[in-house]
Amino acid sequence: MRTFRIGFLLGFRQIQRASIWTTTLIIFVMMLTFLNLIAVSGVLVGLIAGAEKAVRENTYGDLVISPHSEEDHILNTQTIVREISTYPEITTYSVRYNGTGELEANFKERRDLKGDADVTGVKVTGIDTQKEDTTTNLSDFIVEGEYLDPNEEGKILIGAYYLSQYAELYGDIFETVEDVHPGDTVRLTVGEISKEFTVKGIIQSKVDDTNLNTYIPEREFRRLFGRIDQNADVIAIKINNPADNIKIKESLLNSGLGDYAKIQTFEESTPKFLADIKKTFNLLGTFIGSIGLVVASITIFIIIFINALSRRRNIGILKGIGISERAIEIAYVLQATFYALAGSLLGALLTYGFLVPYFDANPIQFPFSDGILVADPIETLYKFGILFITTLIAGFLPAWLITRQNTLNSILGRK
Amino acid sequence: MEIIKAQDIYRTFVSGNITTHVLKGVSLDVQLGEFVAIMGKSGAGKSTFMYQLSILDHPTSGTIIINGTNTKELNEHEQTEFRLNTLGYIFQDYALVPDLSATENCMLPLLMKGEDWDKAKNKAVEMLTSVGLETRVDNLPSQLSGGEQQRVAIARALAGNPKIIFADEPTANLDTISGNAIIDLLGELNKKGQTIVMVTHEEEYTKYCNRIVRMEDGKIIKEEVLR
Ligand SMILES: Nc1ncnc2c1ncn2[C@@H]1O[C@H](COP(=O)(O)OP(=O)(O)O)[C@@H](O)[C@H]1O
Ligand SMILES: [Mg+2]
């Protein structure tokens, strides 16, 4: 107790009498360190969280039902649909049919029949237009034209990356058709059957599954693809409380639906690339954070070391008049703590007072994600704890090194 | 009663292949309440001897018994405790903590002894008053003159209520007037019973001393009992 009192007196007065510029600079450095620890990895993680959010909310849903690997389609789709519509926890769902076809554009204007047609291979998805929209807000991603009307026939939505004017940004990686706009007529060919559609709208989102897709109403899809059995390829399910998806999955499996199809939570169905990137970014974030932490400890170490070294004689005298080493160490640890606390506090203020709201309002526009700043308070607190403990050690170590030197040598300034 | 019994003290420094014999068999007894002056040319070993007596350094051989304690038997921690409770120091350059006010400097030994804050503060102010600094209690060392700083140092040494005060050339950095004032202060303290061991160059500063111990080349060559 008495050592603490003296330690606090010495440490507090040293902080008080230190030059305001030195103090400001040190606190500024600590603040940057804190930001480096929180914000940099927060942006990295936020990038992926944004991508994941987009995939979950705009494509996959909270639960995904897909065919067993040995089946072509989901079996007994109607039974499954009947069962899931009885769950009050399930907000809505979308039954989708997937196929591939060939999309041809500009065929009416074509004069030279010997030249290449303007054709690209496309994915075709048959949807219940209303259910799809309530499940994934597909209509929000119309960038040109309009969303499908359930009462219309012969209309198609085309993903932006099949169109040269959208895809050219990405160079030559996508196969495209030229100069197609809403109102134009395109021809969709599946095997032997061809059908002409009017382009109703063009869709673009952060999820490539949507950008590289075409959408037509399910009735027309079944006709075009000859799918009379009504067995679908994907059922995307949205749940009132998305975190409940594990529970609902269990319950669906218990009702025997697992026999007809594979039932996965979003987490299980996450595309591998996303899971991989997430892992990588988390690692990268941790790595950068660790470097930040090391830099912070070294900074604190050097500050306290120089501070204590320049007061070596003072420390010797204090020991000489009978002040315990512990009290002197506490004084320096207190200073380190002060710098860490002040820096972290400013950093936290900046993070939660400015950065998080700013990035929420103005997400960083990445091709695959609206990057937000993810700074989970618990995580932040945890990182702050690590920073704090590191600081204590980084402050204690130099103080300890110098206080344990021979008292007389310190007083006389000898080696 | 002897408060210090130093017997046959040798102090030899070895650095590389150079061996320096600084103290070559010094013995000195100091009685409780005595004011002893140690005099001698520069390089005679006075400071080195003071460091041995005040257990800031340890003799190569010989024993030092202070207040009945054989200092050789104290471990590092006990030495610090011993310096706090039994010894007081006055350094040539005052050695105050620059960040602490005069009062806070004097509070250090008191707080270390476990006094509570208010008591320590009252006692510190009382000590500063006794050395004539009642108007300077809140000043930082940098806001005080050399003479005033040395008074703070004396007040700090006294605050711990030590059995012995060691002063190594306490007036060396002061002008004659301030120096004399410090010596008067020490004389006064001695009159009240404080044991003091002081190193000084000036004959006139020994006016309150009971005894002068003269050193030369690591040995005591002469002792003069004044009163
Ligand atoms: N650590 C040391 N190593 C070698 N020589 C030393 C050391 N300390 C003191 N001396 C030598 O001992 C002699 C006495 O020093 P000191 O006790 O400071 O003398 P004084 O205080 O009487 O002037 C000097 O010649 C000094 O160089
Ligand atoms: Mg000397």
Side-chain angles (χ1 to χ4, degrees):
Chain A
M1 191 54 226
R2 53 190 188 154
T3 44
F4 268 96
R5 209 175 302 158
I6 295 193
F8 272 75
L9 175 64
L10 290 169
F12 185 71
R13 289 289 186 247
Q14 260 191 54
I15 293 167
Q16 212 179 13
R17 311 263 186 252
S19 126
I20 180 103
W21 292 111
T22 321
T23 311
T24 310
L25 192 72
I26 296 170
I27 291 176
F28 185 67
V29 168
M30 289 312 289
M31 186 190 82
L32 291 182
T33 308
F34 183 83
L35 285 182
N36 188 23
L37 216 58
I38 306 300
V40 172
S41 65
V43 167
L44 285 176
V45 173
L47 212 59
I48 297 307
E52 217 174 26
K53 189 164 163 256
V55 172
R56 182 173 190 145
E57 290 180 359
N58 309 124
T59 308
Y60 277 55
D62 304 314
L63 271 182
V64 186
I65 300 179
S66 57
H68 281 303
S69 47
E70 66 274 15
E71 300 288 344
D72 288 337
H73 310 294
I74 297 169
L75 304 179
N76 296 323
T77 303
Q78 297 316 308
T79 315
I80 295 177
V81 167
R82 228 175 292 123
E83 176 72 23
I84 57 181
S85 40
T86 65
Y87 278 71
E89 298 93 333
I90 291 177
T91 324
T92 178
Y93 58 88
S94 174
V95 179
R96 299 183 194 135
Y97 299 82
N98 290 336
T100 54
E102 230 175 40
L103 186 77
E104 183 179 357
N106 306 309
F107 47 88
K108 281 182 180 151
E109 297 81 358
R110 194 162 157 227
R111 306 267 178 268
D112 174 15
L113 288 172
K114 277 184 224 119
D116 286 338
D118 193 5
V119 168
T120 175
V122 292
K123 263 176 72 179
V124 185
T125 302
I127 52 171
D128 175 325
T129 55
Q130 278 172 322
K131 278 226 173 310
E132 180 65 38
D133 196 32
T134 51
T135 309
T136 64
N137 302 318
L138 187 60
S139 64
D140 290 353
F141 299 96
I142 300 287
V143 286
E144 266 185 78
E146 282 163 32
Y147 188 62
L148 295 173
D149 185 322
N151 304 317
E152 281 179 338
E153 291 243 328
K155 299 285 160 89
I156 189 168
L157 298 179
I158 303 183
Y161 290 171
Y162 289 139
L163 306 178
S164 56
Q165 70 265 35
Y166 290 98
E168 68 197 1
L169 276 169
Y170 302 98
D172 266 350
I173 55 173
F174 303 117
E175 207 191 343
T176 57
V177 292
E178 302 291 322
D179 201 26
V180 169
H181 298 280
D184 292 352
T185 305
V186 292
R187 186 186 285 150
L188 193 58
T189 308
V190 178
E192 300 295 301
I193 312 172
S194 282
K195 185 171 186 310
E196 285 184 12
F197 286 90
T198 308
V199 177
K200 183 83 189 275
I202 291 159
I203 337 166
Q204 185 172 31
S205 89
K206 297 285 177 186
V207 183
D208 281 357
D209 266 7
T210 311
N211 295 323
L212 290 171
N213 216 333
T214 60
Y215 295 89
I216 55 175
E218 55 173 337
R219 256 172 302 114
E220 289 176 81
F221 182 98
R222 284 204 300 269
R223 236 179 283 141
L224 197 60
F225 284 80
R227 292 273 286 273
I228 31 174
D229 60 1
Q230 301 218 341
N231 276 340
D233 299 291
V234 178
I235 304 174
I237 297 174
K238 195 164 156 179
I239 296 171
N240 298 344
N241 176 9
D244 282 345
N245 60 357
I246 300 169
K247 265 197 319 217
I248 311 263
K249 176 194 161 183
E250 286 310 313
S251 147
L252 290 175
L253 287 175
N254 286 339
S255 10
L257 300 187
D259 295 344
Y260 309 142
K262 193 159 69 185
I263 303 175
Q264 291 175 304
T265 60
F266 169 76
E267 290 79 4
E268 291 164 341
S269 69
T270 310
K272 190 171 173 304
F273 85 94
L274 213 61
D276 284 350
I277 297 180
K278 194 176 176 182
K279 241 189 268 163
T280 311
F281 275 34
N282 261 329
L283 213 67
L284 210 63
T286 310
F287 182 67
I288 292 174
S290 310
I291 293 180
L293 207 60
V294 172
V295 171
S297 358
I298 294 175
T299 309
I300 281 285
F301 183 93
I302 292 173
I303 289 165
I304 299 297
F305 190 76
I306 290 177
N307 203 330
L309 199 62
S310 70
R311 290 164 190 271
R312 180 171 167 242
R313 172 148 203 275
N314 239 302
I315 291 172
I317 287 160
L318 285 172
K319 279 166 66 191
I321 65 169
I323 306 301
S324 74
E325 296 179 13
R326 206 28 51 86
I328 300 164
E329 285 153 10
I330 289 169
Y332 286 94
V333 170
L334 184 77
Q335 290 178 70
T337 309
F338 168 75
Y339 295 133
L341 271 181
S344 304
L345 210 70
L346 277 179
L349 230 62
L350 198 65
T351 306
Y352 291 106
F354 174 69
L355 292 177
V356 169
Y358 177 82
F359 283 118
D360 275 349
N362 310 287
I364 312 164
Q365 292 294 327
F366 290 100
F368 57 90
S369 163
D370 285 338
I372 48 171
L373 181 65
V374 172
D376 173 32
I378 301 292
E379 184 91 345
T380 303
L381 213 63
Y382 171 72
K383 283 180 174 165
F384 167 73
I386 294 180
L387 183 68
F388 192 71
I389 291 167
T390 315
T391 307
L392 290 188
I393 298 168
F396 172 75
L397 218 61
W400 178 77
L401 279 173
I402 289 169
T403 46
R404 69 194 272 266
Q405 288 184 2
N406 178 282
T407 305
L408 187 61
N409 287 349
S410 298
I411 293 176
L412 299 178
R414 290 195 302 225
K415 282 257 174 63
Chain B
M1 184 201 135
E2 286 130 359
I3 188 116
I4 302 177
K5 267 176 86 75
Q7 233 157 24
D8 217 13
I9 305 299
Y10 283 80
R11 184 64 172 106
T12 304
F13 295 100
V14 182
S15 109
N17 45 16
I18 304 166
T19 305
T20 320
H21 301 283
V22 178
L23 298 179
K24 305 166 182 173
V26 183
S27 299
L28 177 71
D29 290 352
V30 176
Q31 304 296 318
L32 188 67
E34 250 194 309
F35 189 167
V36 176
I38 299 177
M39 298 192 73
K41 287 201 205 83
S42 183
K46 308 180 296 289
S47 292
T48 307
F49 186 45
M50 286 287 266
Y51 300 145
Q52 313 305 311
L53 295 181
S54 57
I55 63 171
L56 285 169
D57 192 18
H58 304 285
T60 312
S61 70
T63 42
I64 297 169
I65 293 165
I66 297 175
N67 200 25
T69 305
N70 187 343
T71 57
K72 211 184 284 177
E73 284 157 11
L74 299 172
N75 66 26
E76 193 69 33
H77 177 75
E78 290 164 339
Q79 286 173 27
T80 307
E81 194 96 325
F82 190 78
R83 285 198 291 262
L84 175 70
N85 291 316
T86 315
L87 311 178
Y89 293 87
I90 299 164
F91 296 89
Q92 183 178 322
D93 64 354
Y94 335 126
L96 300 173
V97 179
D99 307 312
L100 301 185
S101 69
T103 306
E104 288 164 345
N105 263 285
C106 296
M107 286 167 75
L108 285 174
L110 296 166
L111 292 174
M112 195 63 220
K113 284 183 164 193
E115 297 249 19
D116 72 38
W117 188 270
D118 292 335
K119 257 201 183 144
K121 187 164 181 177
N122 290 338
K123 182 99 185 278
V125 171
E126 191 184 306
M127 285 296 139
L128 286 168
T129 307
S130 78
V131 298
L133 287 180
E134 57 275 14
T135 60
R136 290 278 191 271
V137 292
D138 290 327
N139 288 44
L140 290 174
S142 57
Q143 298 162 335
L144 297 171
S145 73
E148 287 171 329
Q149 288 188 58
Q150 195 59 294
R151 283 162 189 272
V152 176
I154 293 171
R156 181 177 71 183
L158 289 173
N161 200 15
K163 290 273 189 298
I164 311 157
I165 282 187
F166 292 101
D168 191 350
E169 303 194 33
T171 55
N173 288 1
L174 300 177
D175 59 60
T176 320
I177 296 173
S178 314
N180 267 312
I182 293 296
I183 296 299
D184 289 345
L185 182 58
L186 292 176
E188 229 170 274
L189 290 173
N190 175 247
K191 217 182 280 170
K192 290 182 198 150
Q194 180 68 55
T195 310
I196 302 173
V197 180
M198 174 179 78
V199 173
T200 184
H201 274 302
E202 312 284 331
E203 289 294 338
E204 57 160 313
Y205 286 159
T206 62
K207 58 187 169 189
Y208 302 109
C209 296
N210 307 98
R211 193 152 48 119
I212 300 177
V213 175
R214 294 194 191 272
M215 286 182 71
E216 199 178 295
D217 194 23
K219 286 182 197 140
I220 293 177
I221 51 161
K222 199 169 154 198
E223 285 195 39
E224 297 163 38
V225 179
L226 300 179
R227 77 199 75 151

